[in-house]
């Protein structure tokens, strides 16, 4: 978000308030990732005070009346939003940065008479605000502050402001921005589904097919440098970790798109094969959640810092744990329920590991929403285990009967990708494509099942 060249200029002109503010924001945010964070604590006995001196200096500068709208000020506000503990204060920093960006007209396109560096710098800062706005809106369930219809500025180009060493991070940022644009359209469609009175089913499934095609196009345009190529299940470079995050965001968007089309878990239609001509939303969500858990395990083993530096990674885990919890309550398909409980336990363990990383230990409040989510999942697992024990004790006292063939066939149909689910099966095949070598033919994935069914 802040290029080395820009930071170097600010350090050379630290006597200017805007430059001093940005430097303090960079130091404040960077201190949370530092290996020597002990010396950066205001209170050596309190890990939560890391970088607090930088934050207080920045706050003092923000309160000065002469610190007007400036590009460096917007960057500083976004950095303060990354590191602050209070969710309300984080939202306030993001709102202030977005409002300042809109007041400065960063969302509008400038003509070619403006210097290319100025146009690129303004565009980059605006799209950073766009990403923060989209992320905060998706995670907290709030409306976005930036209206897509009013944005006319072009997307910035990779490496336009920094050295060649920052090109890959720019490409990853651009790819994620396109994903968050799709996320906004998916969330609008989700609101349309729950609207009363609901729109016709044909419109809903037309929107599903259109957004599915957008996801396919987005995944096909993934830069070749971000093909996820783990060697023996290991991440061998920083680029590979960014590629893993790009895959996680893709799977999270698949769940976000198909989850509203899932029937109520307690309804008779739940966990059943899809009807003729309808997409297998249950299968897509289930497989996407499995892949999120699998990739998260690789990242935590090889590059745990990735979770501290990339919001999509943590965002995807929240989706996966909800799908696993939903499937673990399935009574129709016992193998699916057992596998989901195992994946749920794995995902809960991964989330606990993420919460114990240095950045999240410093950044979280005394009682976080993640802790409440984990407590509810543990309670659900305990209830399911008690129910299984009770059912086994009842079955042991009853006359054993042979299972019906219909139950077995419905179970097999649910685990197998339906070949009659219209064009959506081929669409999903493209998303889980061979560009990610994690999905080999030896592993049970959507891609391999679709190839066999086709």
């Amino acid at each position: 978000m802040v290029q080395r060249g820009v930071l170097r200029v600010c350090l050379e002109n630290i006597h200017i308030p805007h430059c001093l503010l940005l430097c303090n924001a960079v130091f404040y945010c960077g201190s949370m990732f530092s290996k020597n964070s002990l010396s950066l604590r205001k209170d050596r006995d309190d890990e939560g005070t890391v970088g607090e001196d930088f934050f207080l200096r920045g706050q003092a500068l923000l309160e000065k009346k002469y610190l007007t709208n400036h590009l460096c000020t917007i960057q500083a506000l976004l950095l303060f939003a990354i590191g602050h503990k209070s969710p309300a204060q984080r939202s306030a920093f993001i709102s202030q940065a977005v409002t300042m960006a809109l007041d400065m007209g960063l969302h509008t396109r400038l003509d070619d008479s403006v210097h290319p560096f100025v146009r690129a710098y303004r565009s980059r800062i605006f799209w950073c605000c766009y990403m923060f706005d989209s992320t905060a809106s998706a995670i907290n369930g709030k409306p976005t502050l930036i209206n897509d219809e009013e944005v006319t500025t072009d997307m910035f180009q990779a490496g336009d402001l920094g050295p060649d060493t920052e090109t890959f991070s720019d490409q990853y940022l651009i790819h994620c921005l396109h994903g968050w644009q799709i996320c906004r359209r998916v969330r609008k469609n989700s609101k349309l589904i729950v609207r009363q009175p609901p729109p016709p089913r044909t419109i809903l499934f037309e929107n599903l097919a259109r957004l599915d095609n957008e996801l396919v196009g987005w995944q096909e345009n993934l830069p070749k440098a971000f093909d996820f190529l783990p060697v023996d299940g290991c991440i061998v470079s920083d680029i590979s970790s960014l590629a893993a995050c790009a895959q996680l965001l893709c799977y999270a968007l698949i769940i976000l798109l198909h989850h509203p089309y899932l029937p109520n878990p307690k309804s008779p239609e739940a966990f059943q094969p899809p009807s003729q001509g309808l997409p297998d939303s249950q299968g897509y969500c289930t497989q996407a959640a499995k892949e999120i858990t699998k990739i998260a395990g690789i990242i935590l083993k090889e590059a745990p810092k990735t979770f501290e530096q990339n919001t999509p990674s943590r965002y995807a885990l929240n989706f996966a744990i909800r799908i696993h919890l939903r499937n673990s309550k399935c009574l129709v398909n016992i193998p699916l329920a057992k596998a989901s409980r195992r994946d749920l336990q794995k995902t809960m363990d991964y989330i606990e590991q993420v919460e114990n990383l240095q950045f999240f230990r410093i950044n979280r409040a005394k009682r976080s929403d993640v802790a409440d989510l984990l407590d509810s999942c543990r309670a659900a697992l305990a209830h399911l285990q008690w129910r299984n024990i009770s059912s086994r004790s009842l079955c042991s006292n009853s006359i054993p009967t042979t299972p019906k063939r219909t139950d077995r066939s419905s179970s097999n149909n649910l685990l197998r990708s339906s070949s009659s689910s219209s064009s959506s099966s081929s669409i999903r095949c493209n998303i889980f494509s061979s560009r990610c070598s994690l999905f080999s033919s030896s592993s049970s994935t959507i891609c391999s099942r679709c190839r066999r069914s086709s």
Side-chain angles (χ1 to χ4, degrees), residues 126-180:
F126 169 75
W127 287 110
C128 286
C129 292
Y130 184 94
M131 174 173 285
F132 274 76
D133 181 35
S134 303
T135 305
S137 175
I139 293 177
N140 300 323
K142 300 188 301 183
T144 57
L145 301 175
I146 299 176
N147 186 359
D148 293 70
E149 298 178 355
E150 298 179 356
V151 177
T152 59
T153 184
D154 298 328
M155 186 73 69
F156 64 92
Q157 301 298 319
D160 54 359
L161 291 181
D164 295 337
T165 54
E166 296 183 357
T167 301
F168 290 118
S169 60
D170 287 350
Q171 289 179 346
Y172 171 73
L173 180 61
I174 293 172
H175 181 71
C176 287
L177 279 168
H178 290 307
W180 286 116

Side-chain angles (χ1 to χ4, degrees), residues 130 137 144 146-150 181-195 199 204 207 210-211 256-257 260-261:
Y130 184 94
S137 175
T144 57
I146 299 176
N147 186 359
D148 293 70
E149 298 178 355
E150 298 179 356
Q181 287 178 319
I182 298 176
C183 178
R184 288 186 174 217
R185 293 190 284 272
V186 171
R187 293 184 64 217
K188 287 182 180 179
N189 182 64
S190 300
K191 295 177 181 179
L192 184 65
I193 295 175
V194 299
R195 192 183 67 183
L204 295 180
N207 291 343
R210 174 177 54 81
L211 293 170
L256 181 65
L257 174 61
Y261 292 87

Side-chain angles (χ1 to χ4, degrees), residues 212 254 257-258 284 424-432 446:
D212 224 342
I254 290 172
L257 174 61
H258 284 275
Y284 299 153
S424 186
S425 293
S426 60
I427 289 175
R428 184 61 56 235
C429 237
N430 291 329
I431 291 184
F432 298 90
I446 285 182

Side-chain angles (χ1 to χ4, degrees), residues 17 20-21 24 52-67 80:
L20 180 60
L21 173 65
N24 277 284
E52 191 169 328
D53 289 333
F54 300 119
F55 177 77
L56 294 177
R57 294 170 193 166
Q59 284 294 99
L61 288 170
L62 285 173
E63 294 173 359
K64 299 294 183 181
K65 294 182 179 180
Y66 57 78
L67 197 62
F80 286 137

Side-chain angles (χ1 to χ4, degrees), residues 258-269:
H258 284 275
H259 186 270
Y261 292 87
L262 296 177
N264 190 309
K266 298 181 180 180
S267 65
E269 296 83 9

Side-chain angles (χ1 to χ4, degrees), residues 23 78 197 264 268 273 285 306-307 343 371 385:
C23 289
L78 296 179
N264 190 309
C285 290
T306 304
F307 277 97
D343 291 332
Q385 292 174 356

Side-chain angles (χ1 to χ4, degrees), residues 250-395:
C250 176
Y251 291 130
L253 293 181
I254 290 172
I255 296 176
L256 181 65
L257 174 61
H258 284 275
H259 186 270
Y261 292 87
L262 296 177
N264 190 309
K266 298 181 180 180
S267 65
E269 296 83 9
F271 306 106
Q272 297 292 340
S275 304
Q276 181 71 25
L278 297 182
D280 186 13
S281 295
Q282 172 66 40
Y284 299 153
C285 290
T286 299
Q287 194 59 46
K290 287 182 178 180
E291 299 301 336
I292 289 173
T293 302
K294 185 188 301 181
I295 297 176
I298 296 177
I299 295 177
L300 280 172
K301 180 181 178 181
E302 301 295 331
K305 287 286 185 181
T306 304
F307 277 97
E308 296 180 310
Q309 301 167 359
N310 294 275
T311 302
S313 305
R314 204 170 177 223
Y315 183 66
L317 275 178
N318 292 339
F319 277 107
I321 198 171
R322 285 169 171 82
I323 295 299
H324 292 323
L325 181 60
R326 180 184 187 275
N327 293 344
S328 64
K329 301 176 182 179
C330 176
L331 299 177
V332 179
N333 190 337
I334 302 303
L336 173 65
K338 290 182 178 180
S340 298
R341 288 167 198 164
R342 290 192 296 267
D343 291 332
L344 176 60
Q345 188 61 57
K346 285 182 182 179
T347 309
M348 291 169 59
D349 295 339
Y350 295 156
I351 291 179
E352 287 182 342
Q353 294 180 40
V354 170
E355 288 297 302
N356 286 328
L357 295 175
Q358 174 180 307
F359 175 78
F360 296 110
R361 290 200 312 269
I362 297 172
N363 197 28
R364 66 168 174 248
K366 293 183 179 179
R367 181 68 180 178
S368 64
D369 296 336
V370 177
D372 295 334
L373 174 63
L374 293 177
D375 288 344
S376 62
C377 291
R378 292 190 190 98
L381 277 177
H383 175 72
L384 291 172
Q385 292 174 356
W386 176 84
R387 188 178 65 184
N388 291 338
I389 294 174
S390 301
S391 61
R392 283 197 298 267
S393 62
L394 290 175
C395 291

